[in-house]
Amino acid sequence: MLLFDAHNHIHLGSRGVAPLLEAIPALLPSVDHIISSSQVHDHNAAFAGAAIMSTHPRDYKNVNSVVSDLRKRNYKAAACYGIHPWFLNEVLQDPQSTQVLDDGEEVWLHGLRKILVEHPDAIVGEIGLDGARWVEVAEDSVEDDIYDNDTTSSKKSIWERRRTLACPMHLQKDAFVKQLLLAAELNRPVSIHVVRAWGELFSSLDEVRETMKQRHQQKRVIESSVKDTSSSPRRNKEVLLPPKMYFHAFSGKSGVISSILSACAKGNIDPNSDVYFGFAPAIPNFYAPKTSGVMKDIGLNRLLLETDLEDASKAWDDLLRCLEGIADALDVDAGEVADQTYVNAKHFYSCSFETTERHSRE
């Protein structure tokens, strides 16, 4: 059984990927070959690789380093670049990051575009929306209505209130939409974090679909002005969202699933093959009473294994916990979960898997 960790942050750990590599021997010549008994771990499972999720532009270099270390040892590895909503406030309060360049893009977004273009096998992540990440503000800056996030207030800056979102939701949404549009433009999958912001998620997807629809229309107008399109073959439906979407550490109820699938279908994404969900044992929601039922409603064909960990020394144990949790929830054999989630990961991270396989042949 091959286990792929579809979402982690081990590049942020004090020793990076080293603890994981010390615990798990490298697989040669490829993780896709038949595994010998000396290379088999718990539950007859073997580590296949991981997707390394950045949280901030300062992470990008470390992400590349960990991905390189994994690929050198013939593991599958996916580089993921984007700004997590927990750290977005740091970026948006940096005057250099928010400076607008001649092309109209802010420095932080231009930097994300640049590294994605440099790494055509990378995806966009971790990005998203978080309505539960609060920060405390000094008492001497308290307004009468301390829970008010109304950005029209002239008394205090949105950054100064005693209890406010780590990053105000309207700014989170703006950055989220920009990153989704970039992913759609570059045809990259996305890994998405959403906590208590489902309404904002759906309105963001609406905005991205409408913007992409307008861009496609403008492109058709330009093409028709320079060549005769009357005899051109009929177009396939234009994808209006990033081509594949992965909702990591899913915290929604079962009713949210159908809304997500419907929203993706409206963007001409196949909800049966290009939309995925994950549950991380490191997140308390994994053990919530509702979670097993939500997993059943999602179905094994849309699930990925993940750890969401920074500490690589705990990654293997949590990957096994994730495997066992899904198997128990779905009442299926762990081997079936391992096989299907690996197939799912191979599809979602197809470009990254192909790059690793190419390196192993060289």
Side-chain angles (χ1 to χ4, degrees), residues 26 33 211 213 279 281 295 319-320 328 347 355:
H33 79 305
T211 300
K213 190 181 299 182
F279 297 83
M295 288 180 178
L319 204 55
L320 290 173
D328 287 347
H347 177 70
T355 297

Side-chain angles (χ1 to χ4, degrees), residues 219-335:
K219 183 179 178 181
R220 288 195 298 271
V221 170
I222 294 172
E223 289 177 347
S224 65
S225 67
V226 297
K227 65 179 180 179
D228 180 15
T229 59
S230 58
S231 59
S232 299
R234 188 172 181 177
R235 296 174 181 269
N236 294 326
K237 287 186 177 180
E238 292 159 329
V239 176
L240 305 177
L241 291 170
K244 301 171 191 172
M245 306 183 79
Y246 165 24
F247 295 88
H248 121 86
F250 185 66
S251 61
K253 298 179 180 179
S254 290
V256 176
I257 301 166
S258 59
S259 297
I260 289 176
L261 298 178
S262 175
C264 291
K266 290 178 182 176
N268 298 326
I269 296 175
D270 187 343
N272 296 313
S273 64
D274 295 326
V275 183
Y276 295 93
F277 300 82
F279 297 83
I283 308 299
N285 179 64
F286 185 84
Y287 306 97
K290 71 171 184 178
T291 299
S292 61
V294 174
M295 288 180 178
K296 290 177 182 176
D297 290 335
I298 289 171
L300 185 53
N301 65 311
R302 295 194 187 100
L303 287 171
L304 294 167
L305 299 180
E306 63 173 63
T307 65
D308 198 26
L309 289 175
E310 295 182 11
D311 186 350
S313 68
K314 299 177 181 178
W316 179 244
D317 286 343
D318 264 26
L319 204 55
L320 290 173
R321 288 190 189 96
C322 190
L323 174 72
E324 294 166 353
I326 293 175
D328 287 347
L330 303 185
D331 194 23
V332 298
D333 182 73

